[in-house]
Amino acid sequence: MGKASYEKLKAHKRILKERVRQNSRALLEANKRLKKLEKTRNQYLFDIGHELKTPLAVVEMNLSALFSGQLDSHEKELSMRMLKHNIVRLKKKIEEIIQLSRMERGGQIQKNDIYLGRLVKTAFELHKDFAAVKGLAIKYTHNGHDPAIIGDDRLVTFAIDNLISNAVKFTDRGEVGIDLHLEGRHAVVSVSDTGKGIGKTQMKKLFKEFYKGDPGGPGTGVGLFISKKIAKAHGGDVVYEPNRPQGAIFKITFPIKKH
Amino acid sequence: MGPKDAKILIIDDEAEVRDSITLLFKSQSFKNTQAAKDAKTGLEKMQQEDFDLVIVDLMMPVVSGHHVLKEMKRLKTKTGVIVYSAIGLPEVFGQDLSKSYKGLVFLSKTVTPSVLVEHVKDALHKPAYTL
């Protein structure tokens, strides 16, 4: 073998060695990411189990209490409100699982006319009772607006419902406000609350999949992630801003249908 | 004092769980029920008055139900305890509690209301439910 051929071979060997090193590193990184994903998925399964068990327990206990015939009229009303709300909670969680799986499979988005005013009113009505049980004031303002957008009503309902549900869930006293208004060519649904608000460190991770501000707290950490994805898929967005003097405001926007 | 006069404290971060247990117990004639929304409030209530039984959730924000168990054990209280949590296992944030609390009843929130009520009746006269 000539000297030139030998040098060429040596250079090849160096390149190959470097490639092996790079690929090994990439494999290690991929393995790390997979392990992390597996861990977050397991946590999600645990959380979703928790999120399904609790409303089921509430439904069962209230049915049992109502059938006993021992409750007075005020208690019966409270019990029935809790029944209604927890059936809604169960439906919402099941919807969350379906939408998460649909998103991961890259499911198609339906394109229908949606009248946002009516859709938001339905979502507001669903959460009124639970807000009342918690002693919260809840109001919906729309100034007569009922803009049409184009999209998938099941997804849009999920996204808006999730923001209202979070506001009621994470607020212990005060008020939840839902406002529908127009900003240029966009319809904006703003959901404000007087809860604890979002800390600076939490803000960066707020829309990440499986992120929960309080690991021991309620929720599964996918609601905001899905809501933002839904809004983006419709040409809109979800943004957060602090409420003054206290609380959070989440705004979801959708482009208004062009006539 | 009969078992129906027993003073029961429910510690759970979810308002609807507290209200539902209260209504369930009332329907079974246990009318002396109080509720606390977190571990800290629950422990404060226990300092102010004596309870016959505490029903405590494990996974709660800020301070878990494990802290309540630790405090009750430290104070050598004779109050009965039932852990009523979604997981229903002696485990909190990956920590195994079975060795520290041998024999303690950990009920899952999927048990039927009648099972919960049966455990309450047992807990009011069986020392096995104390820490």
Side-chain angles (χ1 to χ4, degrees):
Chain A
M1 187 187 291
K3 196 179 174 190
S5 304
Y6 177 70
E7 286 303 326
K8 210 172 161 184
L9 207 64
K10 251 176 98 176
H12 268 299
K13 193 180 164 190
R14 263 202 309 276
I15 292 166
L16 274 174
K17 235 177 145 178
E18 179 58 20
R19 274 192 194 155
V20 168
R21 199 179 63 80
Q22 279 176 1
N23 287 342
S24 303
R25 201 165 56 191
L27 266 173
L28 274 173
E29 288 297 319
N31 197 27
K32 252 192 215 171
R33 279 198 302 273
L34 272 174
K35 277 190 177 159
K36 198 177 166 195
L37 190 67
E38 197 187 328
K39 203 176 158 192
T40 46
R41 286 205 171 264
N42 283 338
Q43 183 61 43
Y44 176 72
L45 287 176
F46 177 83
D47 287 341
I48 200 84
H50 184 283
E51 293 285 307
L52 291 172
K53 269 183 181 183
T54 305
L56 263 177
V58 170
V59 167
E60 259 197 310
M61 284 191 281
N62 281 289
L63 281 175
S64 178
L66 281 166
F67 275 112
S68 73
Q70 299 291 315
L71 304 186
D72 63 31
S73 59
H74 170 73
E75 289 164 340
K76 271 186 202 163
E77 196 192 324
L78 173 68
S79 192
M80 282 191 280
R81 276 181 188 220
M82 286 196 282
L83 266 179
K84 192 176 158 195
H85 174 248
N86 281 277
I87 289 167
V88 171
R89 257 177 96 181
L90 284 168
K91 277 164 75 176
K92 187 177 170 281
K93 279 297 142 196
I94 293 164
E95 189 66 13
E96 178 187 298
I97 300 167
I98 293 168
Q99 297 311 337
L100 188 66
S101 130
R102 192 176 159 191
M103 220 159 271
E104 286 184 353
R105 282 184 284 116
Q108 289 291 307
I109 290 181
Q110 305 285 314
K111 287 188 176 168
N112 301 314
D113 285 2
I114 302 171
Y115 290 92
L116 222 44
R118 284 163 243 187
L119 188 145
V120 177
K121 188 170 185 290
T122 309
F124 161 73
E125 297 286 346
L126 272 179
H127 293 281
K128 241 172 42 178
D129 283 347
F130 181 47
V133 168
K134 287 189 80 176
L136 297 174
I138 183 164
K139 63 176 184 185
Y140 170 40
T141 49
H142 49 77
N143 206 16
H145 295 305
D146 188 13
I149 62 165
I150 296 174
D152 194 316
D153 59 349
R154 209 168 143 189
L155 292 177
V156 174
T157 301
F158 178 89
I160 292 172
D161 183 70
N162 180 60
L163 298 185
I164 302 174
S165 161
N166 279 352
V168 176
K169 188 160 61 181
F170 295 108
T171 305
D172 288 329
R173 61 175 71 91
E175 179 180 293
V176 170
I178 304 146
D179 178 61
L180 170 64
H181 62 275
L182 309 181
E183 278 179 21
R185 290 176 181 172
H186 282 79
V188 183
V189 180
S190 163
V191 181
S192 62
D193 66 54
T194 52
K196 276 197 293 185
I198 311 288
K200 272 187 184 167
T201 47
Q202 292 175 304
M203 272 188 222
K204 288 179 197 160
K205 300 174 186 167
L206 204 53
F207 295 102
K208 280 196 170 173
E209 192 177 18
F210 304 123
Y211 175 72
K212 280 171 70 174
D214 180 352
T220 51
V222 298
L224 280 176
F225 166 79
I226 299 177
S227 296
K228 195 169 179 88
K229 273 215 157 189
I230 289 172
K232 290 241 178 201
H234 284 78
D237 202 359
V238 180
V239 292
Y240 164 78
E241 59 187 63
N243 197 5
R244 302 280 177 227
Q246 191 190 318
I249 302 174
F250 283 91
K251 287 182 178 177
I252 185 163
T253 57
F254 297 99
I256 299 166
K257 183 188 172 189
K258 287 176 197 157
H259 291 284
Chain B
M1 188 186 81
K4 301 288 182 186
D5 301 311
K7 281 175 79 175
I8 304 173
L9 176 64
I10 303 153
I11 309 174
D12 198 298
D13 58 314
E14 282 214 42
E16 288 183 317
V17 173
R18 298 193 299 270
D19 289 346
S20 301
I21 300 176
T22 304
L23 290 180
L24 174 71
F25 287 177
K26 186 183 171 212
S27 75
Q28 299 293 318
S29 304
F30 293 106
K31 289 171 183 161
N32 209 346
T33 305
Q34 291 187 43
K37 64 175 183 164
D38 53 41
K40 189 173 161 274
T41 318
L43 287 167
E44 279 167 8
K45 277 185 181 282
M46 277 190 261
Q47 273 177 352
Q48 286 157 9
E49 53 189 303
D50 291 330
F51 287 92
D52 299 295
L53 176 65
V54 173
I55 293 171
V56 61
D57 185 16
L58 273 185
M59 298 284 278
M60 291 188 282
V62 192
V63 183
S64 79
H66 183 200
H67 182 68
V68 175
L69 299 179
K70 275 198 281 195
E71 273 302 289
M72 288 179 78
K73 198 170 180 181
R74 189 180 68 81
L75 296 167
K76 295 181 180 155
T77 166
K78 295 287 169 218
T79 307
V81 189
I82 293 174
V83 177
Y84 181 64
S85 69
I87 182 169
L89 294 169
E91 186 186 305
V92 62
F93 298 120
Q95 194 181 345
D96 183 2
L97 304 180
S98 60
K99 284 175 193 151
S100 317
Y101 304 98
K102 274 185 186 154
L104 186 64
V105 173
F106 291 84
L107 287 184
S108 160
K109 282 182 179 166
T110 47
V111 297
T112 58
S114 58
V115 170
L116 175 61
V117 170
E118 283 311 309
H119 274 283
V120 168
K121 286 177 186 166
D122 282 350
L124 291 171
H125 63 89
K126 284 188 184 169
Y129 288 81
T130 51
L131 291 169

